[in-house]
Amino acid sequence: MAGVLLGVSLCATARHVSDVQAGTLSADIRRTGFGIPHIRANDERGLGYGIGYAYAQDNLCLLANEVVTVNGQRARYFGAEQATLEERNNLTSDVFFTWLNTPEAVTAFWKAQTPQMQQRLAGYAAGYNRYLQERGAKDRPMQCQGAWVRPITTDDLVKLTRRLLVEGGVGQFAEALAGATPPQPGVAVQSDVRAFEVATLKQQRFALDRGSNAVAVGSERSFNGRGMLLANPHFPWIGGMRFYQMHLTIPGQLDVMGAALPGLPVVNIGFNQHVAWTHTVDTSKHFTLYRLTLDPKDPTRYLLDGKSIPLQKTQVTVQVKGAEAHTQTVYSSQFGPVVQWPGKLDWNGQYAFSLRDANLGNDRVLQQWYAMNQARSLKDLQASVHRLQGIPWVNTLAADDQGQSLYMNLSVVPNVSAKKLEQCSDPRAGLQMIMLDGAHSACAWDIDPRAAQPGIFAAGQLPQLARRDYVQHSNDSAWMANPKAPLAGFSPVVSQDHIALGARSRFALQRLQDLDTQPITVADLQHMVLDNQVYLAGQVMPDLLKFCAQQTDAALKTLCTRLKDWDQKANLDSGLGLVHFFQVMEHLQQVPQVWRVAFDPDHPQTTPRGLLIEQPEVANALREAMLASMAQVSESGLKEGTRWGDIQVSGSTPMHGGPQELGIYNAMQSVPRADGKREVVSGSSYLQIVTFDDQGPKAESVLAFSLSSDPASPYFKDQTQAFSAKKLSPLPFTEQQIKADPQYQRQLIHE
């Protein structure tokens, strides 16, 4: 809304202000190009007020929908059989969130917050509620008409934060928690097979949907001797993990800009006067499973050090539209809730399985980003992470104006040493999920008095690396953050070394190596993401084309021509060769011994590579994959001359980038649509490149899915089109830059 709105006094309907002093609320919201809000206030409460109001202007319905979800009320309003945006059945989702966000857990989290954070959260709720009231029930966007849209409270914001915390742990096991029931003699377990298939896929996709790239460049390699940062988080384009851009200022106290997740009144990825930082999903484990040995007389009791202990029972009741309320019992051991996954984690007469999530004890997460937002140097930022240990399930990469770069794998990780793993885990379970023996209290997580929370590793025991050349990360372990200083020797729960790197990491390391002889510039970092090179094509294309040259089958010749003509990129104008390459490699990566040169831990940057086409098994698999790809392309109705931009879209906007499995740095996950196109659902989200000079930070960015989720908003797809055209825009940061912006508009709100 343009113009100045002064002096409209509204009652703040549903503010939870326990422990928070009421008083005048005011905020100054300036917007620049793409509608980016620059929110300024004199105190924490006013700042929260401005954030909540601006966020509601752009994403009223999105937040309202997420509030219903985290309150476990989806079945009540939309029916039991409907599903969430994440394809989770409403009833399952409600049972999970009612269990997670109990009044006791929410109150304890609130009480653990500093007075400043309480003020900011109270302000956020008041700001959102003010805008909701201004719009009125009739004037709301179509997507949020209905009784389920209501004023929010600070409790709702706490619940949203707790949902974020468990995303890397028990949040992935909602179906398994909601479906866990004790075995009954002669009664087969009934489970929704489809729901577990979807849940399995979601677990596998967790790092894909929330993957990320990051490069922090230090003085030795940057063009001006200062720090530089590339932030390229890959996050969902819809729902509760969709980033929002904002600039927050309290004069003399705070000046920070970047991107935040819905309902959070802090910047998660961004920069201030001196420091820029970003996050990438880490490979550390944030939960462990415990195998409980059951009392042979009663499957609801388990044996611990030889004693029979009853499982704790919690009744969870969920309201259901047009039906009776649904009540379910959630069982827990001292190691956490019992989870049951048919065929993987079966609750039978002998064993049951509990899940312990380290982030359920993390009430420091908001304070952590609050401290990072205020950091005055890299050292300062690092010290805050060491002190608070509030980062849930991501790495942190940062650079500052003094030319230092830093990598930290410092998140909340269960304190399970390699020795304890050896003594307490079943080696057959592997390291994908850590499974400990719940029959012995000696297998509980170790307590380190130096850690910010009982049962997690202390910060000093976790991987970190400060450099003057660079550090990088693309969702592998900490090992190769910089090959000149490998990070090795940690508990496998924290980080594994001497294992194969993903294709995106190899691409980044190669690109940084190629730039060895010259200073790294902003353009270099931009190209890393946006030239859309398919790294894997460079590793296997010579063998593919050699195989092609040996074929006489006409059907294969068409495919081979398309591969040959393809530019080995995932740009809008890249041809059908990309589609064939993707489909063929998807098949081949399932074939054992497919690589010409197998992975060699001494050469992690260059292996595996090549295809062993001389092997009959590989040649047959390759031929089958090619024929299947031709059939698939024909079925999809893709004609000669079709380009990637005709296939992958966001709404009607063509989208570059592609599957991360191919080593495309600009990773995009897209799903088939009814019209034969593919809709982007996650991938590059908030793209930010920050440098520093004597005047402070200089940042360029694009929010790939745009600021607003409301189709009627002018900010619904403006940045999406800019991203499609590969255009980043400078971010106005100083007062002078903000006021000089051609799109500048101002709104004062107070009550």
Side-chain angles (χ1 to χ4, degrees):
M1 277 165 63
V4 179
L5 181 68
L6 284 165
V8 181
S9 182
L10 292 168
C11 92
T13 36
R15 245 177 5 252
H16 172 166
V17 288
S18 69
D19 311 326
V20 176
Q21 292 299 306
T24 310
L25 276 169
S26 69
D28 186 0
I29 303 169
R30 289 93 52 83
R31 289 189 184 254
T32 53
F34 302 116
I36 296 171
H38 304 258
I39 302 154
R40 190 168 57 178
N42 290 327
D43 56 28
E44 296 287 2
R45 206 148 162 265
L47 188 66
Y49 183 56
I51 301 170
Y53 187 89
Y55 189 84
Q57 284 179 308
D58 296 314
N59 294 290
L60 183 76
C61 302
L62 187 157
L63 198 73
N65 181 63
E66 296 306 317
V67 164
V68 173
T69 300
V70 298
N71 277 283
Q73 294 176 330
R74 297 198 69 82
R76 174 182 171 184
Y77 290 111
F78 310 124
E81 294 312 309
Q82 298 290 319
T84 67
L85 278 171
E86 295 78 25
E87 298 175 76
R88 176 168 281 149
N89 166 276
N90 278 348
L91 201 56
T92 300
S93 176
D94 288 350
V95 167
F96 174 75
F97 281 110
T98 306
W99 168 83
L100 176 72
N101 284 325
T102 60
E104 297 77 16
V106 170
T107 301
F109 189 96
W110 173 258
K111 283 183 174 166
Q113 304 313 301
T114 60
Q116 293 91 331
M117 187 49 68
Q118 289 183 346
Q119 294 275 355
R120 204 181 284 189
L121 288 164
Y124 191 113
Y128 177 92
N129 293 340
R130 173 186 178 132
Y131 184 72
L132 182 68
Q133 191 166 332
E134 281 179 7
R135 283 295 295 252
K138 290 190 179 132
D139 189 33
R140 275 186 225 138
M142 277 305 294
Q143 318 95 286
C144 54
Q145 296 282 349
W148 56 276
V149 182
R150 59 163 175 80
I152 65 170
T153 67
T154 53
D155 279 359
D156 295 317
L157 299 174
V158 167
K159 289 171 185 179
L160 286 164
T161 307
R162 283 176 58 80
R163 185 264 298 274
L164 165 73
L165 283 173
V166 299
E167 279 276 300
V170 71
Q172 298 177 33
F173 286 80
E175 287 79 4
L177 180 141
T181 48
Q184 291 171 344
V187 179
V189 178
Q190 296 295 310
S191 68
D192 181 347
V193 176
R194 170 73 190 137
F196 279 95
E197 282 172 359
V198 170
T200 303
L201 280 172
K202 281 207 303 251
Q203 281 191 357
Q204 290 165 348
R205 272 178 33 199
F206 177 75
L208 299 186
D209 287 351
R210 299 164 187 73
S212 301
N213 305 308
V215 181
V217 182
S219 55
E220 290 173 9
R221 297 289 304 277
S222 83
F223 71 99
N224 68 350
R226 310 280 184 122
M228 298 171 73
L229 182 84
L230 164 68
N232 177 212
H234 304 150
F235 256 57
W237 281 35
I238 52 171
M241 296 286 135
R242 179 186 155 113
F243 280 121
Y244 181 73
Q245 266 179 294
M246 57 188 190
H247 180 188
L248 309 179
T249 306
I250 299 176
Q253 280 184 49
L254 177 72
D255 195 8
V256 63
M257 191 169 187
L261 292 170
L264 299 194
V266 286
V267 168
N268 299 112
I269 289 176
F271 61 92
N272 61 26
Q273 192 68 25
H274 301 288
V275 190
W277 75 94
T278 186
H279 299 294
T280 59
V281 172
D282 62 26
T283 60
S284 303
K285 310 299 178 193
H286 303 287
F287 66 91
T288 65
L289 290 159
Y290 276 90
R291 189 181 70 183
L292 308 174
T293 301
L294 300 178
D295 185 329
K297 298 181 199 133
D298 184 348
T300 65
R301 299 179 73 91
Y302 64 107
L303 301 174
L304 185 64
D305 299 330
K307 284 183 192 161
S308 175
I309 299 173
L311 289 169
Q312 196 184 337
K313 297 177 190 177
T314 307
Q315 297 291 107
V316 172
T317 300
V318 170
Q319 302 302 316
V320 180
K321 187 179 180 180
E324 283 184 21
H326 171 85
T327 297
Q328 196 162 324
T329 305
V330 176
Y331 292 85
S332 302
S333 72
Q334 71 169 50
F335 302 111
V338 174
V339 290
Q340 184 172 11
W341 201 294
K344 287 187 186 175
L345 306 169
D346 290 307
W347 188 349
N348 54 32
Q350 199 177 0
Y351 298 114
F353 298 89
S354 266
L355 186 149
R356 186 175 176 192
D357 185 336
N359 274 302
L360 282 173
N362 178 7
D363 52 21
R364 306 169 306 284
V365 59
L366 294 175
Q367 192 55 28
Q368 181 66 78
W369 275 305
Y370 182 93
M372 289 169 73
N373 288 188
Q374 292 185 311
R376 295 184 178 275
S377 66
L378 207 66
K379 284 267 184 291
D380 201 7
L381 182 136
Q382 189 175 17
S384 79
V385 178
H386 272 247
R387 184 176 74 255
L388 291 163
Q389 289 194 267
I391 291 173
W393 33 263
V394 288
N395 301 283
T396 306
L397 288 89
D400 68 4
D401 55 0
Q402 300 304 301
Q404 300 177 88
S405 69
L406 176 68
Y407 165 79
M408 292 188 289
N409 183 180
L410 254 66
S411 55
V412 175
V413 182
N415 189 347
V416 180
S417 64
K419 189 177 175 191
K420 178 160 286 194
L421 211 51
E422 208 173 289
Q423 290 166 346
C424 288
S425 72
D426 185 342
R428 289 170 304 181
L431 292 169
Q432 201 57 40
M433 281 191 206
I434 304 295
M435 179 96 60
L436 302 174
D437 185 351
H440 302 283
S441 52
C443 292
W445 301 349
D446 287 329
I447 307 279
D448 186 333
R450 296 166 300 175
Q453 164 188 330
I456 66 170
F457 276 106
Q461 307 301 303
L462 296 170
Q464 46 210 311
L465 184 61
R467 301 279 301 177
R468 284 275 177 183
D469 50 357
Y470 73 85
V471 286
Q472 65 75 43
H473 200 261
S474 293
N475 307 122
D476 282 301
S477 72
W479 180 37
M480 285 281 128
N482 184 314
K484 290 178 184 163
L487 292 165
F490 296 91
S491 164
V493 173
V494 174
S495 177
Q496 296 175 58
D497 46 75
H498 294 84
I499 55 168
L501 297 178
R504 276 185 297 119
S505 295
R506 286 173 60 184
F507 164 80
L509 290 168
Q510 184 186 308
R511 199 49 80 87
L512 290 163
Q513 207 168 316
D514 292 347
L515 294 166
D516 234 351
T517 55
Q518 63 201 68
I520 297 173
T521 63
V522 171
D524 292 326
L525 294 180
Q526 193 170 322
H527 287 147
M528 273 183 81
V529 182
L530 294 178
D531 68 2
N532 289 304
Q533 183 186 328
V534 179
Y535 174 79
L536 198 57
Q539 305 302 302
V540 301
M541 199 59 100
D543 284 323
L544 275 182
L545 293 177
K546 191 173 169 187
F547 179 82
C548 274
Q550 299 162 0
Q551 303 310 304
T552 51
D553 189 328
L556 293 183
K557 283 203 169 159
T558 307
L559 181 147
C560 285
T561 303
R562 287 170 177 169
L563 277 181
K564 198 172 171 188
D565 293 346
W566 170 48
D567 60 1
Q568 298 187 24
K569 294 191 171 190
N571 283 320
L572 297 182
D573 59 357
S574 296
L576 280 176
L578 169 61
V579 176
H580 286 305
F581 184 75
F582 173 46
Q583 290 174 173
V584 166
M585 289 311 298
E586 204 173 23
H587 273 79
L588 280 189
Q589 284 177 320
Q590 313 306 318
V591 178
Q593 278 88 50
V594 69
W595 299 108
R596 180 173 295 287
V597 181
F599 169 67
D600 177 353
D602 291 333
H603 298 96
Q605 290 171 252
T606 53
T607 62
R609 63 178 187 271
L611 295 172
L612 203 52
I613 55 174
E614 296 78 12
Q615 282 291 345
E617 296 85 355
V618 175
N620 290 337
L622 182 50
R623 184 179 163 78
E624 277 170 30
M626 285 179 162
L627 289 168
S629 185
M630 284 300 293
Q632 224 169 319
V633 163
S634 167
E635 249 172 69
S636 308
L638 301 177
K639 304 278 188 292
E640 201 58 56
T642 302
R643 300 285 171 235
W644 186 231
D646 306 324
I647 301 169
Q648 183 171 262
V649 294
S650 172
S652 57
T653 308
M655 277 295 134
H656 46 78
Q660 68 117 25
E661 302 91 317
L662 303 183
I664 303 170
Y665 206 61
N666 181 22
M668 288 290 175
Q669 300 286 110
S670 55
V671 295
R673 292 196 324 198
D675 60 2
K677 293 182 186 287
R678 295 184 66 85
E679 180 75 21
V680 171
V681 289
S682 75
S684 287
S685 50
Y686 173 63
L687 179 58
Q688 156 191 298
I689 300 172
V690 184
T691 59
F692 297 91
D693 62 18
D694 288 343
Q695 274 69 55
K698 289 203 169 342
E700 300 184 358
S701 85
V702 63
L703 187 66
F705 38 68
S706 303
L707 196 69
S708 174
S709 52
D710 177 3
S713 165
Y715 312 126
F716 176 64
K717 59 176 185 184
D718 50 354
Q719 290 201 70
T720 312
Q721 289 165 338
F723 179 71
S724 176
K726 300 187 177 180
K727 282 185 183 156
L728 277 70
S729 300
L731 288 176
F733 185 69
T734 64
E735 275 300 298
Q736 194 181 354
Q737 290 163 347
I738 294 165
K739 286 175 177 167
D741 189 282
Q743 305 298 310
Y744 177 79
Q745 51 188 324
R746 184 180 185 200
Q747 185 178 9
L748 292 170
I749 55 169
H750 65 80
E751 57 184 83

